[in-house]
Amino acid sequence: MDKTVEKKLTQWLKLQKKACGFYLNLSVFFGVLTGLSLMCQAWLIATVLQGIIIDDLPKSDFIEHFWALLLLTVVRGVLAFARERASFQAGARLRVQMRAAVLDKLALLGPAFIKGKPAGSWASIVLEQVEDLQDFYARYLPQVVLAGFIPLIILVAVFPINWAAGLILLATAPLIPMFMILVGMGAADANRKNFSALARLSGHFMDRLKGLSTLKLFNQGDKEAKVIKKASEEFRERTMAVLRMAFLSSAVLEFFAAVSIAVLAVYFGFSYLDHLNFGHYGVSISLFTGLFVLILAPEFYQPLRDMGTHYHAKAQAIGAAEELMALLDHPTEQQVGDKQINDKIEIEAKDLSVYSLDGSLLLGPVSFQIKANEHVAIVGPSGAGKTSLLNALLGFLPYQGQLKISGIELRELARDDWRKHLAWLGQEPQLFHGSLRDNVAMGRELSDEAIYNLLDKAQILDFVQQQPLGLAYPIQEQTAGLSVGQAQRIALARALGQQAKLFILDEPTASLDSLSEQAVQSTLTQAMQGVACVMVTHRLENLSAMDKVLVIDNGLIVQQGKYNELVTQLGTFKQMLDEATSLSEFDVGSAELMGDKS
């Protein structure tokens, strides 16, 4: 990974630590207290052994020392527990806030942005990558502070009693962070590649799982299984590469710490044998001095070793931060205003151009007007820009030009208030895991009687009443257990409960059989009386009841007017209508031919 990018990601990660609250500082505080209590224990142990072994004092003189040692052991255990809890809470608060920020950002960017990646990739970001920030904030950041503070305290305690031991500690200490940095240079890049492989695997698997029936019918199941196996193997290899770095780092750090402690032990050993005579301040080296320094020596290197052990958490967090930062810093399409609509909905577009989130032109420039309570159909060939226009109206895509709602520019409207006036129904109804009641109410305070009334209007009440659980009937993931027609009618009941001033319909009957289509269309016709409607459809034969038809082709409005006017004019609409009529006649002829054969 480029050093500039890594530095930028590290800085971004540190800026997020305010989400941890005071728990991060609390973890450091408990860590410092743990270090101080250990120094006290080292002093007590060295004092007791010096007095009993060298000074030949009775053990009874050290009763208070033994009780103090016992108390400090308990205190250290409590402090260690408190530090772990504070660290965990710091990471947990960060994860909660980060997930909320990711979900809020996705909600702000809208479905047009989300559809740019497979669902599995978003699951990887929200779950795996946010989860892998935990140790960076819970362990690495506190340890960085402790790695600088605790060794400094120990040096302050050691230098006054033996300057040679202090110099040995000071000289050997940089070996650990130097090697840690060398290992970490490749760890961040390995983690980043590991997360990319995981995101690809998640997205690939999710897409194949959703299309499993198609793969089976086209006899491609075994082939796709091999592709998934290959992707899984790639992810396994990258994961093992990250683990190898982590284990190598820990092993070498332990080696350098052991060598450094051995150098201290050799110095004191030769000093006691009178082969070395330096490091003291004119007084011979006592047993207390050697024991005190040697007991503290492992604790001098321990914070550095722990930082090295947790350094892979930093590399892991940097790998996870790349996509998180790109997502959270992604520019939103428009500034959201604060104006509200109080009148009936009227839409006026003038030289309107709709763009994708990456700046590509999708539609326009177009100009049109939808009056209050007017019903307008938008038709055109696939890819002409119909859905892009709907996404612009819903506030999901950026635009240039004018798009006024009841005289107010769309970007100046409060987005939540604007959407309260909308009822949306698409061709692929999205029902959520939960009860039928929850799916109809969608967080609104609706009584059971009101929900039954909505279900009755959507002509799905009979189905609900046949279920033993009634409104508590569970909706499974991917609407399992419901037909497309039933799911569409439940979604229709949800839309009807919005009390909307504008219905936005995107092929609401495209996936329905003729009976379900008639039922849904009849309900929509009744519900849309007295309100405006914008509907995208390919069913041209049912447009005679619409007040206006907009014909879009290649991103431009090529025709507009009433249905009776357009059928008499040469152009895209008549061509599409003729093709639809020919296809319908072909289907009828095929059905009759199959009937004769039978």
Side-chain angles (χ1 to χ4, degrees):
M1 179 183 289
D2 184 77
K3 283 297 175 185
T4 305
V5 176
E6 183 175 349
K7 185 177 180 180
K8 184 178 180 182
L9 291 173
T10 304
Q11 186 65 30
W12 182 84
L13 284 169
K14 290 181 179 179
L15 289 175
Q16 312 308 312
K17 69 179 182 181
K18 57 185 178 182
C20 301
F22 69 94
Y23 288 103
L24 202 60
N25 294 331
L26 193 62
S27 174
V28 174
F29 176 71
F30 286 137
V32 172
L33 289 182
T34 302
L36 291 174
S37 63
L38 188 136
M39 290 180 62
C40 293
Q41 279 187 310
W43 182 85
L44 289 170
I45 293 173
T47 300
V48 170
L49 293 177
Q50 170 74 26
I52 293 175
I53 298 175
I54 303 300
D55 299 336
D56 200 24
L57 297 174
K59 297 178 182 178
S60 58
D61 290 353
F62 300 99
I63 297 298
E64 294 180 356
H65 292 72
F66 284 116
W67 282 112
L69 276 173
L70 182 61
L71 178 62
L72 283 172
T73 302
V74 175
V75 168
R76 282 187 63 192
V78 172
L79 289 174
F81 174 78
R83 183 190 169 193
E84 284 295 321
R85 291 299 302 171
S87 298
F88 176 81
Q89 287 297 327
R93 287 170 65 93
L94 184 281
R95 285 183 288 124
V96 169
Q97 184 162 320
M98 187 64 67
R99 285 198 175 99
V102 168
L103 294 175
D104 289 343
K105 188 69 175 186
L106 290 177
L108 187 60
L109 291 171
F113 177 83
I114 294 173
K115 289 181 179 179
K117 286 186 178 181
S121 297
W122 296 120
S124 174
I125 290 176
V126 174
L127 299 177
E128 299 290 341
Q129 298 193 24
V130 172
E131 192 70 26
D132 284 320
L133 299 179
Q134 167 77 21
D135 284 350
F136 177 77
Y137 295 95
R139 300 186 182 280
Y140 178 75
L141 284 184
Q143 196 60 45
V144 169
V145 179
L146 294 175
F149 197 75
I150 291 180
L152 183 61
I153 295 176
I154 293 176
L155 286 176
V156 170
V158 169
F159 263 108
I161 61 176
N162 191 286
W163 59 264
L167 284 179
I168 292 173
L169 291 175
L170 189 62
T172 55
L175 293 176
I176 293 178
M178 282 176 58
F179 183 79
M180 179 182 67
I181 293 171
L182 291 175
V183 173
M185 290 174 64
D189 191 48
N191 274 282
R192 181 181 60 82
K193 292 178 180 179
N194 189 45
F195 281 122
S196 298
L198 176 60
R200 287 196 302 272
L201 177 61
S202 299
H204 189 91
F205 180 72
M206 183 72 73
D207 288 343
R208 269 52 182 180
L209 191 62
K210 291 173 67 175
L212 185 60
S213 58
T214 303
L215 294 173
K216 287 292 185 182
L217 290 173
F218 282 87
N219 198 29
Q220 295 296 307
D222 292 340
K223 181 179 178 181
E224 287 300 326
K226 292 178 181 178
V227 173
I228 292 177
K229 181 180 179 180
K230 182 179 178 181
S232 302
E233 182 64 20
E234 178 189 357
F235 177 65
R236 184 194 67 81
E237 291 176 355
R238 294 190 184 280
T239 301
M240 294 306 298
V242 173
L243 290 175
R244 278 197 298 271
M245 285 189 178
F247 287 127
L248 176 65
S249 173
S250 298
V252 176
L253 293 179
E254 292 291 339
F255 171 76
F256 279 117
V259 169
S260 302
I261 295 171
V263 171
L264 270 177
V266 168
Y267 162 73
F268 280 111
F270 278 97
S271 295
Y272 288 136
L273 294 173
D274 295 327
H275 293 303
L276 296 176
N277 188 26
F278 65 88
H280 49 80
Y281 297 98
V283 180
S284 60
I285 300 176
S286 65
L287 178 63
F288 170 84
T289 302
L291 286 175
F292 182 68
V293 173
L294 287 175
I295 292 173
L296 288 182
E299 304 306 322
F300 177 85
Y301 297 108
Q302 189 61 46
L304 297 172
R305 289 153 62 191
D306 288 342
M307 187 174 72
T309 302
H310 298 319
Y311 193 78
H312 74 279
K314 177 188 176 183
Q316 196 173 29
I318 289 175
E322 188 172 25
E323 286 196 55
L324 286 170
M325 186 180 76
L327 173 63
L328 295 176
D329 292 346
H330 194 285
T332 52
E333 68 276 12
Q334 299 174 13
Q335 294 295 324
V336 180
D338 57 359
K339 295 182 179 180
Q340 298 183 355
I341 298 173
N342 298 316
D343 302 324
K344 291 186 177 181
I345 300 295
E346 291 187 353
I347 301 174
E348 182 181 1
K350 185 176 181 181
D351 297 328
L352 173 68
S353 297
V354 181
Y355 295 86
S356 66
L357 294 173
D358 60 6
S360 303
L361 179 65
L362 301 176
L363 173 75
V366 297
S367 300
F368 62 88
Q369 186 175 9
I370 300 175
K371 298 178 181 178
N373 305 337
E374 191 173 32
H375 294 177
V376 176
I378 302 176
V379 301
S382 297
K386 305 183 295 297
T387 301
S388 298
L389 178 57
L390 292 191
N391 279 326
L393 282 173
L394 293 169
F396 294 143
L397 286 177
Y399 70 89
Q400 292 182 2
Q402 291 185 2
L403 182 56
K404 292 186 176 181
I405 312 297
S406 300
I408 305 173
E409 191 65 42
L410 177 61
R411 61 172 62 93
E412 297 177 2
L413 287 174
R415 199 58 52 84
D416 290 341
D417 179 74
W418 164 232
R419 289 172 182 159
K420 287 178 182 177
H421 298 293
L422 304 178
W424 179 85
L425 187 63
Q427 57 181 311
E428 297 179 358
Q430 178 62 58
L431 301 181
F432 300 95
H433 187 277
S435 69
L436 193 147
R437 177 189 291 105
D438 295 336
N439 274 274
V440 175
M442 282 297 286
R444 294 167 296 194
E445 295 293 334
L446 296 179
S447 64
D448 288 355
E449 182 180 356
I451 294 176
Y452 278 125
N453 187 39
L454 293 173
L455 294 170
D456 187 30
K457 289 181 179 179
Q459 301 188 34
I460 191 65
L461 182 59
D462 291 344
F463 167 78
V464 177
Q465 290 178 336
Q466 290 172 4
Q467 307 306 316
L469 297 176
L471 293 180
Y473 177 79
I475 304 295
Q476 304 297 330
E477 293 181 7
Q478 305 295 325
T479 66
L482 295 175
S483 68
V484 176
Q486 290 168 339
Q488 187 74 318
R489 293 186 201 184
I490 294 173
L492 175 59
R494 179 172 61 196
L496 295 176
Q498 186 72 4
Q499 301 294 318
K501 296 180 180 179
L502 173 64
F503 276 76
I504 295 183
L505 311 174
D506 186 5
E507 299 280 1
T509 60
S511 303
L512 303 180
D513 57 73
S514 58
L515 291 177
S516 297
E517 178 184 358
Q518 292 175 9
V520 170
Q521 194 65 52
S522 174
T523 301
L524 284 172
T525 301
Q526 295 176 11
M528 292 187 304
Q529 292 180 1
V531 298
C533 168
V534 177
M535 179 174 68
V536 168
T537 181
H538 284 95
R539 303 290 178 89
L540 306 183
E541 65 275 8
N542 298 327
L543 299 182
S544 57
M546 304 301 288
D547 299 314
K548 184 188 296 183
V549 178
L550 301 180
V551 184
I552 298 180
D553 193 9
N554 293 323
L556 299 172
I557 295 179
V558 295
Q559 290 178 283
Q560 59 178 307
K562 291 184 176 294
Y563 174 82
N564 294 333
E565 298 171 354
L566 295 177
V567 294
T568 62
Q569 298 176 6
L570 293 178
T572 303
F573 185 81
K574 184 171 178 56
Q575 182 181 352
M576 292 174 61
L577 187 61
D578 291 340
E579 291 176 355
T581 303
S582 299
L583 184 59
S584 178
E585 292 175 351
F586 175 78
D587 291 340
V588 172
S590 299
E592 291 177 349
L593 181 60
M594 293 299 294
D596 291 341
K597 287 184 177 181
S598 61

